[in-house]
């Protein structure tokens, strides 16, 4: 190799063998450097400057380069790399990329047949058989009835206090930021939908879950619009800001972290919608109670699915999941609407959350009880076969709910003493500047 330059087919042949050596074949670094140096025009085909098909840095192959078709054909590259560049090979190529969490990907892939079953059994049928927002709203195409139906909706809603309305709006804004949450699901390694129509179990789950969740924001948005008590433009501005700002729950592309987070958050959302509906019923709005109950029912089904995913992980990698769960609990579960703003009130999320806490729609006690529920659901008290570090995490997590409850009760009692005599009121642009 040192005596003459390799060109054309000779170079391609040797390069292929270098990249895919046999058991008895080995090359020193100096040999490869010499080959590359001897054929600069061909080597250019593998350099970034000649990119024709680009890889993302996070999904680069071991070659970290692509093909210049003027020098090396797609077929020749496929022979070298073992996979082609067309759409049909995209999923295969992505599977050969380097993962941050290869073991976690292997574990979730192991129970993907169960996920396929859950797509059919947990998610509802789409289309005509599925409930739709219009089922709970006045039919505006009915010339004889639409006005009376809207009038009835407004009559039922008129006695719902502004503070309940504010929490309902905040919940609706959170639901409307759905594009952000689907984006999040697609960051979990091994659970993504690389083509947009991928037929894997995880891609089907992601799209099915999204299609069901999409109804929630639609229904609440239309209900509030027809109710006529809100500044819908201010609300729409808030939604756009929230989607633009994005959302980072600290999942770090890890499917374990992602499923612990969704197990927690789906339950929190179910609790919030259920409590808003209960309060609405107390003030005479049976229609809103029915709407919130339907949405809470969806969240409950989704909650159970994500918790089942974690149960399956525990069967295969208990130490791995406990390490992630414990680490997340030492921090704090980030609420999906944390970056909420209407462009005017910099403390909008905090003000909304304080109203929700005072109404006991979602409180620090609920936070502690969700942790307790997860510990019981995953039966951590009786989990055995752990490493020493896994056992420490198990003990920490089993004691955590009671510790959180004590802290939550102390905090809520302190706030209650401050606000009992004169609750602090805040102005909300969502309701034309009225206070809540």
């Amino acid at each position: 190799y040192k005596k003459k330059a390799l060109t054309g087919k000779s170079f391609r042949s040797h390069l292929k063998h270098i990249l895919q050596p046999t058991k008895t074949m080995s090359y020193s670094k100096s040999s490869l450097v010499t080959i590359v140096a001897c054929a600069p025009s061909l080597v250019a085909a593998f350099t970034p400057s000649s990119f024709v098909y680009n890889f993302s840095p996070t999904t680069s192959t071991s070659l970290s380069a692509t093909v210049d078709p003027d020098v090396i054909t797609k077929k020749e590259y496929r022979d070298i790399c073992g996979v082609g560049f067309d759409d049909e090979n995209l999923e295969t190529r992505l599977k050969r990329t380097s993962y941050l969490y290869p073991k976690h990907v292997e574990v979730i892939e192991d129970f993907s047949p169960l996920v396929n079953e859950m797509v059919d059994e947990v998610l509802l049928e789409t289309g005509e058989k599925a409930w739709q927002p219009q089922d709970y709203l006045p039919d505006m195409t009915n010339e004889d009835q639409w006005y009376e139906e809207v009038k009835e909706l407004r009559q039922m809603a008129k006695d719902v206090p502004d503070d309940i309305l504010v929490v309902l709006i905040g919940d609706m804004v959170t639901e409307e930021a759905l594009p952000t949450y689907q984006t999040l699901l697609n960051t979990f390694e091994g659970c993504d939908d690389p083509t947009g129509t991928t037929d894997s179990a995880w891609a089907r789950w992601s799209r099915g879950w999204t299609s069901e969740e999409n109804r929630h924001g639609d229904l609440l948005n239309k209900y509030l619009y027809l109710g006529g008590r809100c500044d819908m433009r201010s609300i729409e501005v808030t939604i756009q800001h929230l989607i633009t700002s994005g959302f980072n729950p600290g999942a770090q592309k890890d499917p374990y972290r992602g499923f612990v987070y969704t197990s927690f958050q789906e339950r929190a959302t179910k609790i919030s919608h259920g409590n808003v509906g209960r309060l609405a019923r107390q003030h005479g709005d049976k229609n809103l109670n029915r709407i919130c109950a339907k949405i809470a029912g969806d969240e409950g089904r989704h909650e159970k699915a994500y918790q089942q995913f974690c149960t399956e992980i525990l069967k295969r990698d208990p130490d791995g999941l406990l390490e992630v769960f414990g680490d997340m609990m030492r921090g704090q579960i980030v609420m999906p609407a944390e970056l909420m703003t209407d462009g005017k009130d910099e403390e909008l999320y905090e003000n909304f959350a304080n109203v929700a806490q005072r109404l006991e729609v979602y409180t620090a006690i609920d936070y502690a009880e969700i942790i307790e529920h997860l510990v019981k659901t995953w039966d951590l008290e009786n989990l055995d076969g752990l490493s020493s570090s896994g056992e420490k995490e198990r003990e920490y997590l089993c004691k955590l709910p009671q510790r959180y409850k004590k802290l939550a009760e102390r905090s809520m009692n302190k706030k209650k003493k401050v606000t009992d005599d004169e609750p602090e009121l805040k102005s909300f642009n969502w309701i034309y500047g009225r206070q809540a």
Side-chain angles (χ1 to χ4, degrees):
Y1 298 152
K2 293 180 180 179
K3 292 182 179 179
K4 67 175 183 176
L6 297 173
T7 58
K9 292 182 180 179
S10 175
F11 175 80
R12 289 195 285 271
S13 175
H14 284 295
L15 181 59
K16 177 178 176 181
H17 286 300
I18 291 169
L19 293 174
Q20 295 183 333
T22 65
K23 291 182 180 179
T24 59
M25 187 183 293
S26 71
Y27 290 88
S28 69
K29 289 183 180 178
S30 60
S31 297
L32 180 57
V33 168
T34 304
I35 294 171
V36 171
C38 291
S41 62
L42 289 171
V43 172
F46 291 88
T47 62
S49 61
S50 61
F51 278 8
V52 174
Y53 304 91
N54 289 310
F55 281 117
S56 165
T58 58
T59 57
S60 60
T61 67
S62 58
L63 289 179
S64 299
T66 52
V67 177
D68 182 345
D70 293 333
V71 181
I72 296 177
T73 68
K74 290 181 182 179
K75 182 180 183 306
E76 289 170 329
Y77 189 86
R78 184 173 63 249
D79 290 341
I80 294 170
C81 297
V83 62
F85 274 92
D86 55 33
D87 287 345
E88 293 179 2
N89 285 285
L90 177 59
E91 290 176 55
T92 306
R93 188 164 80 250
L94 290 173
K95 285 179 181 178
R96 299 190 182 190
T97 62
S98 299
Y99 286 115
L100 294 173
Y101 311 95
K103 182 178 180 180
H104 296 187
V105 174
E106 183 180 351
V107 167
I108 64 168
E109 186 62 29
D110 189 57
F111 64 88
S112 61
L114 172 70
V115 179
N116 256 327
E117 292 176 14
M118 294 177 79
V119 170
D120 298 325
E121 295 173 7
V122 175
L123 298 177
L124 302 178
E125 290 188 61
T126 57
E128 290 299 323
K129 294 184 178 180
W131 75 263
Q132 300 298 338
Q134 189 55 50
D135 301 337
Y136 298 85
L137 298 166
D139 182 1
M140 305 303 286
T141 65
N142 188 330
E143 294 291 342
D144 299 325
Q145 293 293 326
W146 72 265
Y147 180 73
E148 292 302 319
E149 289 178 1
V150 172
K151 218 170 139 183
E152 182 183 2
L153 182 148
R154 292 190 173 192
Q155 183 64 26
M156 272 194 190
K158 69 181 179 62
D159 293 326
V160 174
D162 279 342
D163 50 0
I164 296 176
L165 199 58
V166 163
V167 177
L168 178 65
I169 294 168
D171 284 352
M172 182 272 276
V173 169
T174 304
E175 293 284 1
E176 288 281 56
L178 180 62
T180 303
Y181 315 141
Q182 187 180 30
T183 299
L184 172 67
L185 281 181
N186 275 320
T187 67
F188 301 164
E189 289 189 343
C191 305
D192 57 342
D193 181 6
T195 67
T197 57
T198 306
D199 197 37
S200 70
W202 291 110
R204 291 178 63 225
W205 169 265
S206 175
R207 294 195 300 269
W209 173 85
T210 303
S211 73
E212 290 199 351
E213 290 281 336
N214 187 61
R215 301 175 298 187
H216 303 169
D218 283 354
L219 176 52
L220 294 176
N221 195 318
K222 291 171 182 175
Y223 168 86
L224 289 167
Y225 170 73
L226 292 171
R229 294 175 58 194
C230 308
D231 183 343
M232 293 306 297
R233 194 177 196 285
S234 175
I235 293 170
E236 289 161 357
V237 167
T238 306
I239 294 167
Q240 188 173 21
H241 274 304
L242 183 56
I243 295 173
T244 302
S245 296
F247 167 55
N248 179 11
Q252 302 171 14
K253 299 181 71 175
D254 183 356
Y256 286 15
R257 285 179 178 272
F259 293 146
V260 169
Y261 179 83
T262 49
S263 294
F264 189 104
Q265 190 56 47
E266 291 280 7
R267 188 168 182 83
T269 309
K270 179 186 76 172
I271 290 169
S272 181
H273 285 304
N275 285 334
V276 169
R278 173 181 55 81
L279 292 171
R281 184 180 67 246
Q282 291 174 5
H283 291 277
D285 195 341
K286 295 179 181 179
N287 189 34
L288 180 55
N289 176 54
R290 186 164 158 256
I291 288 171
C292 290
K294 194 66 180 178
I295 293 172
D298 275 1
E299 305 292 6
R301 286 185 297 102
H302 299 161
E303 167 205 349
K304 289 179 181 178
Y306 286 117
Q307 289 168 12
Q308 182 61 40
F309 296 163
C310 288
T311 297
E312 295 300 320
I313 294 172
L314 279 169
K315 292 176 183 178
R316 295 160 173 81
D317 184 17
D319 286 317
L321 188 75
L322 289 184
E323 179 185 0
V324 163
F325 190 14
D327 184 59
M328 292 178 74
M329 291 301 101
R330 288 181 178 88
Q332 187 175 5
I333 296 295
V334 178
M335 296 297 110
E338 188 179 51
L339 298 180
M340 177 190 293
T341 179
D342 59 2
K344 298 176 182 178
D345 184 358
E346 294 181 357
E347 298 179 342
L348 180 58
Y349 176 76
E350 183 180 349
N351 293 336
F352 151 69
N354 285 338
V355 175
Q357 170 112 339
R358 189 179 65 79
L359 289 175
E360 297 185 356
V361 167
Y362 182 75
T363 68
I365 296 291
D366 292 315
Y367 188 99
E369 289 180 345
I370 292 173
I371 299 174
E372 183 176 41
H373 171 78
L374 295 178
V375 168
K376 287 181 179 178
T377 297
W378 297 328
D379 197 20
L380 299 192
E381 290 282 359
N382 301 308
L383 191 62
D384 54 19
L386 300 169
S387 65
S388 58
S389 60
E391 182 60 28
K392 287 179 182 178
E393 291 293 352
R394 188 193 71 80
E395 290 177 1
Y396 163 74
L397 289 165
C398 289
K399 293 175 182 177
L400 193 59
Q402 291 306 315
R403 288 176 54 197
Y404 258 114
K405 276 187 179 179
K406 288 179 182 178
L407 290 171
E409 288 169 357
R410 194 181 308 162
S411 174
M412 289 178 67
N413 288 336
K414 186 177 179 181
K415 286 184 178 180
K416 191 174 181 183
K417 288 177 183 177
V418 173
T419 59
D420 266 349
D421 297 330
E422 193 173 332
E424 185 180 5
L425 298 176
K426 293 289 184 178
S427 175
F428 287 87
N429 295 312
W430 294 339
I431 51 174
Y432 294 104
R434 300 193 300 273
Q435 293 185 322

